[in-house]
Amino acid sequence: RKEVEQDPGPFNVPEGATVAFNCTYSNSASQSFFWYRQDCRKEPKLLMSVYSSGNEDGRFTAQLNRASQYISLLIRDSKLSDSATYLCVVNFNKFYFGSGTKLNVKP
Amino acid sequence: DTEVTQTPKHLVMGMTNKKSLKCEQHMGHRAMYWYKQKAKKPPELMFVYSYEKLSINESVPSRFSPECPNSSLLNLHLHALQPEDSALYLCASSQDWEQGQPQHFGDGTRLSIL
């Protein structure tokens, strides 16, 4: 079983839509959680850390559910520029990457 | 602009060449990482340095040799690479290895082995 699992997508959504991604992790002792976005042929960029209480940054909301061992990312009012691959990263002694979820926002 | 700088941006080398990839950060981070990323795959961890000491080597072949000359610099020395080593090589840094602080990535070196 992989340490971190994500639906690879792609998620094809129209502009203005709300889209949500989930990510599950296997190690209940995992300590830190992050969402990164990666554009084609670019480096991963930190989108946001994920905290137990949930956190929001503009149109982006991240949630952590330790009991069920998953984290989520909600994007509201999708923009064309949100098109990218979203990587879930979990830390337990080292960083474990999900395989990424591809998002295509269409006009 | 990324705060982790990698050079060169692109590198083409033959299987008998020796070259080095360089990474620099000035954020005062004490942990630095090398990752390898193939197309449509997530980054794969290669090495972790914490306080200038090698903490993790993910069973990387010896044709890849990391070096951490000081807390701001990380090198990856390459020798006798194979075509399957062609990939994007990413350097990252974080505040501290053990506290699980987020990593910040450089924009990578795209390596092609002929």
Side-chain angles (χ1 to χ4, degrees), chain A residues 17-99:
Chain A
T18 295
V19 61
F21 309 136
N22 283 336
C23 164
T24 58
Y25 60 94
S26 60
N27 193 323
S28 61
S30 296
Q31 300 163 321
S32 307
F33 309 87
F34 310 97
W35 283 103
Y36 283 77
R37 74 168 276 166
Q38 187 170 25
D39 293 285
C40 187
R41 298 178 67 82
K42 298 284 191 180
E43 77 277 18
K45 289 187 190 292
L46 179 67
L47 184 63
M48 54 202 306
S49 301
V50 188
Y51 304 113
S52 296
S53 55
N55 47 302
E56 187 174 310
D57 182 3
R59 298 181 293 108
F60 298 84
T61 300
Q63 297 277 352
L64 166 63
N65 185 318
R66 284 191 182 272
S68 301
Q69 295 180 211
Y70 76 83
I71 68 174
S72 64
L73 177 68
L74 182 77
I75 305 175
R76 289 182 299 278
D77 188 21
S78 300
K79 311 289 184 195
L80 294 175
S81 57
D82 293 334
S83 297
T85 295
Y86 290 82
L87 293 162
C88 167
V89 181
V90 174
N91 179 272
F92 176 71
N93 292 335
K94 66 180 187 181
F95 291 90
Y96 294 91
F97 284 74
S99 56

Side-chain angles (χ1 to χ4, degrees), chain A residues 6-13 19-21 83-86 100-106, chain B residues 40:
Chain A
Q6 289 183 255
D7 181 343
F11 285 58
N12 298 309
V13 303
V19 61
F21 309 136
S83 297
T85 295
Y86 290 82
T101 298
K102 188 165 174 57
L103 173 64
N104 295 316
V105 181
K106 310 282 191 184
Chain B
K40 301 187 189 300

Side-chain angles (χ1 to χ4, degrees), chain B residues 3 12 20 25 34 50 69 71 77 79 87 95 104-105:
Chain B
E3 295 177 80
V12 179
S20 296
Q25 58 88 14
W34 280 115
S50 177
S71 60
H77 303 297
H79 174 54
Q95 187 70 35
H104 299 267
F105 286 85

